[in-house]
Short mmCIF file of all heavy atoms in Angstrom, two decimals:
data_model
loop_
_atom_site.label_atom_id
_atom_site.label_comp_id
_atom_site.label_asym_id
_atom_site.label_seq_id
_atom_site.Cartn_x
_atom_site.Cartn_y
_atom_site.Cartn_z
N ILE A 1453 3.20 -1.91 -20.61
CA ILE A 1453 3.53 -1.44 -19.26
C ILE A 1453 2.45 -1.81 -18.31
O ILE A 1453 1.27 -1.60 -18.59
CB ILE A 1453 3.68 0.10 -19.24
CG1 ILE A 1453 4.69 0.56 -20.30
CG2 ILE A 1453 4.12 0.58 -17.88
CD1 ILE A 1453 6.06 0.05 -20.13
N PRO A 1454 2.76 -2.43 -17.16
CA PRO A 1454 1.73 -2.89 -16.19
C PRO A 1454 1.21 -1.72 -15.35
O PRO A 1454 1.19 -1.78 -14.11
CB PRO A 1454 2.51 -3.91 -15.34
CG PRO A 1454 3.88 -3.37 -15.33
CD PRO A 1454 4.13 -2.82 -16.72
N ILE A 1455 0.70 -0.70 -16.04
CA ILE A 1455 0.18 0.48 -15.37
C ILE A 1455 -0.98 0.13 -14.44
O ILE A 1455 -1.12 0.61 -13.34
CB ILE A 1455 -0.15 1.62 -16.33
CG1 ILE A 1455 1.10 2.09 -17.01
CG2 ILE A 1455 -0.90 2.76 -15.64
CD1 ILE A 1455 0.89 3.15 -18.11
N LYS A 1456 -1.89 -0.73 -14.97
CA LYS A 1456 -3.06 -1.08 -14.19
C LYS A 1456 -2.65 -1.80 -12.89
O LYS A 1456 -3.23 -1.49 -11.83
CB LYS A 1456 -3.99 -2.01 -15.03
CG LYS A 1456 -5.23 -2.43 -14.30
CD LYS A 1456 -6.10 -3.33 -15.17
CE LYS A 1456 -7.32 -3.80 -14.39
NZ LYS A 1456 -8.20 -4.70 -15.19
N ASP A 1457 -1.68 -2.70 -13.02
CA ASP A 1457 -1.22 -3.45 -11.84
C ASP A 1457 -0.59 -2.49 -10.82
O ASP A 1457 -0.82 -2.63 -9.61
CB ASP A 1457 -0.21 -4.51 -12.26
CG ASP A 1457 -0.76 -5.49 -13.23
OD1 ASP A 1457 -0.73 -5.21 -14.46
OD2 ASP A 1457 -1.25 -6.58 -12.82
N MET A 1458 0.19 -1.57 -11.34
CA MET A 1458 0.86 -0.60 -10.47
C MET A 1458 -0.12 0.34 -9.78
O MET A 1458 0.02 0.70 -8.62
CB MET A 1458 1.91 0.16 -11.27
CG MET A 1458 3.02 -0.74 -11.84
SD MET A 1458 4.07 0.09 -13.01
CE MET A 1458 5.08 1.05 -11.91
N LEU A 1459 -1.14 0.73 -10.55
CA LEU A 1459 -2.17 1.61 -9.98
C LEU A 1459 -2.96 0.91 -8.88
O LEU A 1459 -3.24 1.48 -7.81
CB LEU A 1459 -3.13 2.04 -11.09
CG LEU A 1459 -4.23 3.02 -10.67
CD1 LEU A 1459 -3.65 4.30 -10.11
CD2 LEU A 1459 -5.13 3.33 -11.86
N GLN A 1460 -3.28 -0.39 -9.11
CA GLN A 1460 -3.97 -1.15 -8.09
C GLN A 1460 -3.14 -1.34 -6.82
O GLN A 1460 -3.69 -1.27 -5.71
CB GLN A 1460 -4.34 -2.57 -8.66
CG GLN A 1460 -5.45 -2.51 -9.68
CD GLN A 1460 -5.76 -3.85 -10.31
OE1 GLN A 1460 -6.71 -3.97 -11.09
NE2 GLN A 1460 -4.99 -4.86 -9.99
N ALA A 1461 -1.81 -1.48 -7.02
CA ALA A 1461 -0.93 -1.61 -5.88
C ALA A 1461 -0.91 -0.29 -5.09
O ALA A 1461 -0.96 -0.29 -3.85
CB ALA A 1461 0.46 -1.99 -6.34
N ARG A 1462 -0.84 0.80 -5.83
CA ARG A 1462 -0.82 2.11 -5.19
C ARG A 1462 -2.10 2.39 -4.41
O ARG A 1462 -2.07 2.93 -3.31
CB ARG A 1462 -0.63 3.16 -6.28
CG ARG A 1462 -0.32 4.54 -5.72
CD ARG A 1462 0.00 5.50 -6.86
NE ARG A 1462 0.26 6.82 -6.37
CZ ARG A 1462 -0.16 7.93 -6.94
NH1 ARG A 1462 -0.87 7.88 -8.02
NH2 ARG A 1462 0.16 9.12 -6.45
N GLN A 1463 -3.23 2.01 -5.00
CA GLN A 1463 -4.49 2.20 -4.32
C GLN A 1463 -4.59 1.34 -3.05
O GLN A 1463 -5.11 1.80 -2.03
CB GLN A 1463 -5.63 1.85 -5.28
CG GLN A 1463 -5.82 2.84 -6.43
CD GLN A 1463 -6.81 2.39 -7.47
OE1 GLN A 1463 -7.10 1.19 -7.63
NE2 GLN A 1463 -7.38 3.33 -8.24
N ALA A 1464 -4.08 0.13 -3.11
CA ALA A 1464 -4.06 -0.74 -1.95
C ALA A 1464 -3.24 -0.17 -0.84
O ALA A 1464 -3.58 -0.24 0.35
CB ALA A 1464 -3.59 -2.16 -2.36
N ILE A 1465 -2.10 0.40 -1.20
CA ILE A 1465 -1.19 1.02 -0.21
C ILE A 1465 -1.90 2.23 0.47
O ILE A 1465 -1.81 2.41 1.67
CB ILE A 1465 0.12 1.45 -0.87
CG1 ILE A 1465 0.97 0.23 -1.19
CG2 ILE A 1465 0.91 2.40 0.06
CD1 ILE A 1465 2.19 0.51 -2.06
N ASN A 1466 -2.57 3.03 -0.37
CA ASN A 1466 -3.30 4.18 0.19
C ASN A 1466 -4.39 3.71 1.16
O ASN A 1466 -4.61 4.36 2.21
CB ASN A 1466 -3.89 5.01 -0.94
CG ASN A 1466 -2.85 5.78 -1.71
OD1 ASN A 1466 -1.77 6.03 -1.20
ND2 ASN A 1466 -3.18 6.16 -2.96
N LYS A 1467 -5.09 2.64 0.82
CA LYS A 1467 -6.09 2.11 1.68
C LYS A 1467 -5.49 1.58 2.98
O LYS A 1467 -6.05 1.76 4.08
CB LYS A 1467 -6.89 0.98 0.98
CG LYS A 1467 -7.78 1.48 -0.14
CD LYS A 1467 -8.38 0.35 -0.94
CE LYS A 1467 -9.42 -0.43 -0.20
NZ LYS A 1467 -10.07 -1.47 -1.09
N ALA A 1468 -4.34 0.95 2.88
CA ALA A 1468 -3.64 0.42 4.05
C ALA A 1468 -3.26 1.58 5.02
O ALA A 1468 -3.43 1.46 6.24
CB ALA A 1468 -2.39 -0.33 3.65
N LYS A 1469 -2.82 2.63 4.45
CA LYS A 1469 -2.46 3.82 5.27
C LYS A 1469 -3.69 4.39 5.95
O LYS A 1469 -3.61 4.88 7.08
CB LYS A 1469 -1.76 4.86 4.42
CG LYS A 1469 -0.35 4.48 3.99
CD LYS A 1469 0.28 5.53 3.14
CE LYS A 1469 1.73 5.18 2.75
NZ LYS A 1469 2.37 6.21 1.88
N LYS A 1470 -4.83 4.36 5.26
CA LYS A 1470 -6.07 4.92 5.78
C LYS A 1470 -6.54 4.19 7.03
O LYS A 1470 -7.14 4.75 7.89
CB LYS A 1470 -7.17 4.86 4.68
CG LYS A 1470 -8.42 5.62 5.06
CD LYS A 1470 -9.38 5.69 3.88
CE LYS A 1470 -10.64 6.47 4.25
NZ LYS A 1470 -11.58 6.56 3.11
N VAL A 1471 -6.21 2.86 7.09
CA VAL A 1471 -6.64 2.07 8.25
C VAL A 1471 -5.44 1.86 9.23
O VAL A 1471 -5.42 0.91 9.99
CB VAL A 1471 -7.25 0.70 7.84
CG1 VAL A 1471 -8.60 0.97 7.20
CG2 VAL A 1471 -6.35 -0.08 6.95
N LYS A 1472 -4.47 2.77 9.16
CA LYS A 1472 -3.38 2.85 10.13
C LYS A 1472 -2.40 1.66 10.05
O LYS A 1472 -1.92 1.15 11.08
CB LYS A 1472 -3.94 2.95 11.55
CG LYS A 1472 -4.91 4.10 11.76
CD LYS A 1472 -5.40 4.17 13.21
CE LYS A 1472 -6.44 5.23 13.39
NZ LYS A 1472 -6.93 5.29 14.80
N ALA A 1473 -2.06 1.26 8.82
CA ALA A 1473 -1.09 0.18 8.68
C ALA A 1473 0.26 0.57 9.19
O ALA A 1473 1.06 -0.28 9.63
CB ALA A 1473 -0.97 -0.21 7.18
N GLU A 1474 0.59 1.86 9.20
CA GLU A 1474 1.87 2.30 9.73
C GLU A 1474 1.99 1.97 11.22
O GLU A 1474 3.09 1.77 11.71
CB GLU A 1474 2.04 3.82 9.51
CG GLU A 1474 2.32 4.16 8.05
CD GLU A 1474 1.69 5.50 7.64
OE1 GLU A 1474 0.54 5.73 7.94
OE2 GLU A 1474 2.37 6.26 6.96
N LYS A 1475 0.87 1.88 11.87
CA LYS A 1475 0.85 1.54 13.31
C LYS A 1475 0.73 0.05 13.54
O LYS A 1475 1.43 -0.53 14.39
CB LYS A 1475 -0.33 2.24 14.00
CG LYS A 1475 -0.46 1.93 15.48
CD LYS A 1475 -1.62 2.67 16.11
CE LYS A 1475 -1.79 2.33 17.57
NZ LYS A 1475 -2.95 3.08 18.19
N TYR A 1476 -0.16 -0.62 12.81
CA TYR A 1476 -0.49 -2.00 13.09
C TYR A 1476 0.24 -3.04 12.22
O TYR A 1476 0.35 -4.18 12.60
CB TYR A 1476 -2.00 -2.23 12.91
CG TYR A 1476 -2.83 -1.37 13.85
CD1 TYR A 1476 -3.68 -0.41 13.31
CD2 TYR A 1476 -2.78 -1.52 15.20
CE1 TYR A 1476 -4.47 0.40 14.14
CE2 TYR A 1476 -3.52 -0.73 16.06
CZ TYR A 1476 -4.38 0.23 15.51
OH TYR A 1476 -5.11 1.04 16.33
N ALA A 1477 0.72 -2.63 11.05
CA ALA A 1477 1.43 -3.59 10.15
C ALA A 1477 2.56 -2.86 9.42
O ALA A 1477 2.60 -2.86 8.19
CB ALA A 1477 0.46 -4.18 9.17
N PRO A 1478 3.49 -2.23 10.17
CA PRO A 1478 4.53 -1.45 9.52
C PRO A 1478 5.45 -2.23 8.59
O PRO A 1478 5.83 -1.73 7.54
CB PRO A 1478 5.28 -0.85 10.68
CG PRO A 1478 5.00 -1.79 11.84
CD PRO A 1478 3.58 -2.26 11.60
N LYS A 1479 5.75 -3.45 8.96
CA LYS A 1479 6.64 -4.28 8.14
C LYS A 1479 6.02 -4.61 6.81
O LYS A 1479 6.67 -4.46 5.75
CB LYS A 1479 7.01 -5.57 8.89
CG LYS A 1479 8.06 -6.46 8.19
CD LYS A 1479 8.45 -7.62 9.08
CE LYS A 1479 9.52 -8.49 8.42
NZ LYS A 1479 9.04 -9.15 7.18
N LEU A 1480 4.78 -5.06 6.81
CA LEU A 1480 4.07 -5.38 5.59
C LEU A 1480 3.89 -4.14 4.69
O LEU A 1480 4.07 -4.21 3.47
CB LEU A 1480 2.69 -5.99 5.88
CG LEU A 1480 2.67 -7.46 6.30
CD1 LEU A 1480 1.27 -7.84 6.77
CD2 LEU A 1480 3.07 -8.35 5.12
N LEU A 1481 3.59 -3.01 5.32
CA LEU A 1481 3.41 -1.82 4.54
C LEU A 1481 4.74 -1.38 3.87
O LEU A 1481 4.74 -0.97 2.70
CB LEU A 1481 2.89 -0.65 5.45
CG LEU A 1481 2.68 0.69 4.76
CD1 LEU A 1481 1.62 0.55 3.64
CD2 LEU A 1481 2.24 1.76 5.77
N LYS A 1482 5.81 -1.49 4.64
CA LYS A 1482 7.12 -1.15 4.07
C LYS A 1482 7.47 -2.04 2.92
O LYS A 1482 8.02 -1.57 1.90
CB LYS A 1482 8.20 -1.27 5.20
CG LYS A 1482 9.55 -0.84 4.74
CD LYS A 1482 10.53 -0.97 5.92
CE LYS A 1482 11.96 -0.52 5.46
NZ LYS A 1482 12.94 -0.65 6.59
N GLU A 1483 7.15 -3.33 3.01
CA GLU A 1483 7.41 -4.27 1.92
C GLU A 1483 6.56 -3.93 0.69
O GLU A 1483 7.03 -4.05 -0.44
CB GLU A 1483 7.13 -5.69 2.40
CG GLU A 1483 8.15 -6.22 3.44
CD GLU A 1483 7.73 -7.55 4.02
OE1 GLU A 1483 6.64 -8.02 3.72
OE2 GLU A 1483 8.55 -8.12 4.78
N ALA A 1484 5.32 -3.51 0.94
CA ALA A 1484 4.45 -3.15 -0.17
C ALA A 1484 4.95 -1.96 -0.93
O ALA A 1484 5.01 -1.94 -2.17
CB ALA A 1484 3.02 -2.87 0.38
N VAL A 1485 5.38 -0.95 -0.19
CA VAL A 1485 5.93 0.29 -0.80
C VAL A 1485 7.22 -0.01 -1.53
O VAL A 1485 7.44 0.42 -2.67
CB VAL A 1485 6.16 1.37 0.26
CG1 VAL A 1485 6.87 2.55 -0.30
CG2 VAL A 1485 4.84 1.83 0.87
N SER A 1486 8.05 -0.85 -0.91
CA SER A 1486 9.32 -1.22 -1.51
C SER A 1486 9.13 -1.94 -2.83
O SER A 1486 9.82 -1.70 -3.83
CB SER A 1486 10.14 -2.07 -0.55
OG SER A 1486 11.33 -2.48 -1.12
#
């Protein structure tokens, strides 16, 4: 199971939210979550 890969993706998403990706890069953030 690619748990490590999934965890890294989740951490990257959390970091993106911390620097206001919902405001500055909503499309990319949505694609990452999807």
Side-chain angles (χ1 to χ4, degrees):
I1453 306 297
I1455 293 176
K1456 181 180 177 181
D1457 301 85
M1458 297 170 77
L1459 182 58
Q1460 287 177 175
R1462 190 175 179 220
Q1463 290 172 338
I1465 288 171
N1466 288 338
K1467 289 172 71 175
K1469 290 179 178 179
K1470 189 173 182 180
V1471 291
K1472 306 180 184 179
E1474 286 146 315
K1475 177 179 180 181
Y1476 301 115
K1479 185 174 182 294
L1480 280 172
L1481 180 61
K1482 184 178 180 181
E1483 290 173 353
V1485 172
S1486 177

